[in-house]
Amino acid sequence: MDELHDLDRAKQELEKLRKKIRDLEDDLEDTEDDLSDCEKRLKKKDEELSELREKHRQSTKAKIEVESSLEEIQSQVSQYSEDLKIKDNTLDFVQEILTAKPTVTRKSEEVYAQIERFREFVFTQVWDAISYGNNFADFCTGDNEKLLEELSSGFEHWEAVKKKSWIANKKKIAFVGEFSAGKTSIVNRMLSQDNPGATLLPVSMKATTAIPTYIASGEEAMYSFVAPDNTQKSLSESTFKSVSKEVLGNVKGISSLIKYFVMNYKSPSLEHLSILDTPGFNSNDPEDAERTIDVINECDALFWVLDVNAGTINRSSAQKIKEKLSKPLYIVINKVDTKAESEVAKVQELVRKTLKEEGIEVADFLSFSTEIPVSVIFDAIDKVPSSEGDDAYLQFIERKLNILMELSQQEVEVAKNEVSKLEKQVSKAIDECNGRLRGMQDNCNEISNLPQYNPGGFFSSERYELSPDGVRKMSVLLEEIGDYQMTELINDIQKLIELPTELNNAYQNKDYVDNRYRELQEVNEYLREIINENKW
């Protein structure tokens, strides 16, 4: 019984298992159907994801393109803004330049008045004196018209220099250098030595010294520019600070407006010194080089600033120095702290060799850097020999007047000797005339004594008689009177008629040359007074 019971129970379990298997098979079939649906949905999702990824990629690409375009637009806007700012600065700059008023100070008024008085002196008294030099062959060994032209052109140059109060009677030093050599930085260190708050020259990665700039001492800080007609005009500090190569690049024909800038500071170091900062010779603008050459020729020495890393000096610039300049040349090898001493020495030797090949002599070499005190530059400047000076024109006139004085003095001596000679000739002619008359008188007396008185006799009356010897003697005496003494007397009388006229002319000439000599003395004394008292 138990076995049957167990068998039934096993059958029941088996049936349950079969039923469970069938249920599982049904579930599996449903699951497979669901899996198939899931796979379909997953495939669809993958396709949707791929589509979304492609859209994302396209969107990212579009975003990058937009961002790139935006950056380009922002760059253009920034450039336009910068250009607009430069143009605004250019318009402000040009407006101030065109409306600038002449710089007038008490000192400049005095100088201008003195110059005008001296102009009158030169073109009246000196001009007259030089013209008078035509009378002297020794003075006119050359073309006297050329000498008068030199007098005129020399005055124009002298006047221009004297009106430049920032360089008159001062040692003038020009700083020149290739782009980024550091010349402007050196000048700025010289400016800030006495006045840390002084306005400095602009220094940037772009060429900024587009116009020659003079820096000198003054009663107060002042900024100005000099127009082509040599008129100095005021400039505001803000406008001066805004000037850059970019601003000036927008002004066509800047040379028709400005020759150079002038900065004045109250600085002990600049009291007897004028510094010139220049554009240099390697500028892309040919006007820069011309402006540089014009003003450098007024200086006493040229300080060429060279970056030690450049290795040598620019040959084209060296050739310009050789062709157009004759000033002492000092080479400043800058940034020497970036090289070993041996390397600096090699650069110095190469520069010396390069310049020697160009036929240019170097007065001295200076090593410089930000670590070296600026007093090294000032010490070198102190040793620069002064040129002939601002009074070279006065000395030129003085030399010519001295020559004229010597020649005029000789002329006075000649005139004096001529008067003395003619006076002696007149005296001699009078003595000779008196001698002739006395001789004739003696002969006449002798003739009158030749007839012998005969008192007569009983058969004749009293009478004077000539013996045959008396007749012969009378004939000889009359012949002497008529043929010789009378002729000589007439000649002597003719001399007495002519000599007074010559003597009078000689007196007049002596008075003339005496007056000319005194006038030359007065002109020369006035000129010496100007030179000795240094009125300018």
Side-chain angles (χ1 to χ4, degrees):
M1 284 290 290
D2 292 333
E3 292 177 357
L4 289 175
H5 180 70
D6 292 336
L7 182 60
D8 288 336
R9 197 168 44 187
K11 287 180 179 179
Q12 291 175 356
E13 290 293 329
L14 180 60
E15 189 63 31
K16 288 180 180 179
L17 288 172
R18 285 176 177 169
K19 184 177 183 299
K20 194 170 185 178
I21 288 171
R22 285 195 300 273
D23 292 340
L24 289 172
E25 287 176 348
D26 291 338
D27 290 340
L28 179 59
E29 186 176 351
D30 292 338
T31 301
E32 287 177 348
D33 290 339
D34 291 339
L35 180 61
S36 178
D37 291 339
C38 285
E39 287 177 346
K40 289 179 181 178
R41 288 196 299 273
L42 181 61
K43 183 178 181 181
K44 185 177 180 181
K45 292 295 183 184
D46 286 341
E47 290 174 353
E48 290 176 352
L49 180 61
S50 178
E51 185 178 350
L52 287 172
R53 283 176 176 169
E54 178 61 23
K55 288 182 178 179
H56 180 266
R57 187 184 69 78
Q58 293 292 338
S59 176
T60 302
K61 181 180 178 182
K63 179 186 176 185
I64 292 173
E65 291 176 352
V66 169
E67 288 177 346
S68 177
S69 298
L70 182 60
E71 288 180 0
E72 185 176 350
I73 291 171
Q74 288 175 336
S75 176
Q76 290 177 351
V77 169
S78 177
Q79 184 62 47
Y80 290 149
S81 298
E82 184 65 24
D83 290 344
L84 183 60
K85 182 180 178 181
I86 291 174
K87 287 181 180 179
D88 286 341
N89 289 338
T90 301
L91 289 174
D92 292 340
F93 171 72
V94 172
Q95 183 177 5
E96 181 164 351
I97 293 299
L98 293 176
T99 58
K101 296 181 179 179
T103 301
V104 179
T105 63
R106 181 179 58 81
K107 183 176 181 180
S108 66
E109 286 181 334
E110 291 176 355
V111 170
Y112 277 42
Q114 290 170 342
I115 288 174
E116 286 307 309
R117 287 194 294 271
F118 189 67
R119 177 196 296 276
E120 183 180 357
F121 167 71
V122 168
F123 290 103
T124 54
Q125 298 182 62
V126 176
W127 189 277
D128 186 39
I130 298 297
S131 299
Y132 181 64
N134 284 318
N135 295 328
F136 307 109
D138 292 343
F139 190 74
C140 299
T141 52
D143 186 352
N144 208 39
E145 289 186 5
K146 184 178 179 181
L147 179 58
L148 292 173
E149 182 181 342
E150 288 177 1
L151 183 70
S152 179
S153 61
F155 178 84
E156 292 177 4
H157 175 75
W158 176 87
E159 178 185 28
V161 171
K162 285 304 175 183
K163 286 185 175 180
K164 297 175 184 177
S165 58
W166 54 94
I167 65 173
N169 301 318
K170 293 183 178 182
K171 185 178 289 186
K172 299 166 283 292
I173 303 298
F175 280 87
V176 174
E178 311 299 348
F179 170 57
S180 77
K183 64 180 177 61
T184 301
S185 296
I186 293 176
V187 172
N188 282 339
R189 285 184 64 187
M190 296 174 70
L191 296 182
S192 59
Q193 176 177 260
D194 297 321
N195 183 7
T199 297
L200 303 180
L201 298 172
V203 180
S204 71
M205 293 306 293
K206 297 180 180 180
T208 52
T209 309
I211 291 181
T213 303
Y214 282 101
I215 307 103
S217 64
E219 297 177 359
E220 58 183 355
M222 186 176 69
Y223 307 88
S224 60
F225 69 93
V226 174
D229 63 355
N230 291 321
T231 302
Q232 186 180 4
K233 298 183 177 181
S234 300
L235 193 68
S236 67
E237 182 177 349
S238 59
T239 298
F240 177 80
K241 287 182 176 179
S242 70
V243 175
S244 65
K245 186 75 171 177
E246 292 80 10
V247 168
L248 296 174
N250 285 312
V251 184
K252 301 302 180 184
I254 187 65
S255 60
S256 65
L257 297 175
I258 300 174
K259 289 178 70 176
Y260 39 78
F261 289 121
V262 179
M263 299 168 60
N264 290 102
Y265 296 106
K266 195 166 186 178
S267 169
S269 298
L270 299 176
E271 188 174 350
H272 302 292
L273 175 66
S274 182
I275 300 172
L276 174 62
D277 190 32
T278 67
F281 296 127
N282 64 329
S283 170
N284 293 327
D285 187 348
E287 285 189 356
D288 286 353
E290 290 303 317
R291 282 192 291 264
T292 298
I293 291 169
D294 286 344
V295 291
I296 282 178
N297 277 316
E298 295 178 343
C299 294
D300 296 315
L302 179 64
F303 277 60
W304 191 290
V305 182
L306 171 71
D307 186 340
V308 69
N309 297 288
T312 188
I313 200 164
N314 184 291
R315 280 190 178 270
S316 63
S317 299
Q319 288 172 356
K320 285 188 177 70
I321 292 177
K322 179 182 178 181
E323 292 170 5
K324 301 185 177 182
L325 301 171
S326 58
K327 304 297 181 180
L329 177 63
Y330 292 76
I331 301 296
V332 181
I333 302 179
N334 198 21
K335 306 178 185 178
V336 294
D337 54 338
T338 63
K339 292 281 187 179
E341 289 186 9
S342 58
E343 292 296 317
V344 174
K346 289 180 181 178
V347 170
Q348 178 174 320
E349 188 57 34
L350 182 57
V351 171
R352 189 191 302 274
K353 180 181 177 182
T354 301
L355 293 176
K356 186 176 181 180
E357 290 173 354
E358 295 293 337
I360 300 172
E361 183 179 349
V362 179
D364 199 3
F365 282 89
L366 304 175
S367 294
F368 196 70
S369 74
T370 55
E371 305 300 321
I372 296 176
V374 74
S375 58
V376 169
I377 302 295
F378 279 109
D379 290 343
I381 291 174
D382 288 340
K383 296 176 183 177
V384 172
S386 296
S387 61
E388 193 171 10
D390 298 329
D391 292 330
Y393 179 65
L394 304 183
Q395 293 164 5
F396 160 76
I397 296 176
E398 185 181 34
R399 286 195 298 271
K400 295 301 179 183
L401 289 178
N402 284 337
I403 294 173
L404 279 174
M405 288 280 291
E406 292 176 6
L407 294 173
S408 181
Q409 191 171 22
Q410 293 172 13
E411 188 182 43
V412 167
E413 289 299 318
V414 170
K416 180 180 176 182
N417 292 336
E418 180 67 14
V419 167
S420 178
K421 182 184 76 173
L422 288 172
E423 286 177 339
K424 289 178 180 178
Q425 288 179 358
V426 169
S427 178
K428 180 180 178 182
I430 292 173
D431 290 343
E432 288 178 347
C433 188
N434 288 332
R436 304 294 179 200
L437 289 172
R438 285 194 298 270
M440 292 175 67
Q441 184 179 20
D442 291 342
N443 286 338
C444 288
N445 290 334
E446 190 172 349
I447 290 173
S448 66
N449 293 326
L450 285 176
Q452 299 296 317
Y453 178 71
N454 185 350
F458 181 77
F459 296 102
S460 62
S461 61
E462 60 179 354
R463 62 183 182 277
Y464 283 91
E465 297 177 347
L466 277 174
S467 64
D469 288 340
V471 172
R472 286 194 296 272
K473 192 169 184 180
M474 177 181 288
S475 176
V476 170
L477 291 173
L478 289 173
E479 184 178 352
E480 183 179 356
I481 292 172
D483 293 342
Y484 174 71
Q485 290 180 323
M486 186 61 70
T487 301
E488 291 301 317
L489 180 61
I490 291 172
N491 290 336
D492 291 340
I493 292 173
Q494 186 64 36
K495 286 181 182 179
L496 285 175
I497 293 173
E498 294 174 354
L499 282 175
T501 302
E502 292 182 26
L503 183 58
N504 183 60
N505 291 337
Y507 280 134
Q508 291 181 353
N509 181 61
K510 183 177 180 300
D511 289 341
Y512 173 73
V513 296
D514 281 344
N515 289 334
R516 289 301 304 176
Y517 181 71
R518 283 193 295 271
E519 289 172 1
L520 287 173
Q521 278 184 314
E522 291 173 1
V523 172
N524 210 23
E525 286 171 4
Y526 179 71
L527 186 64
R528 285 179 181 174
E529 182 182 345
I530 292 174
I531 296 174
N532 295 335
E533 294 185 7
N534 195 18
K535 290 184 177 181
W536 311 98

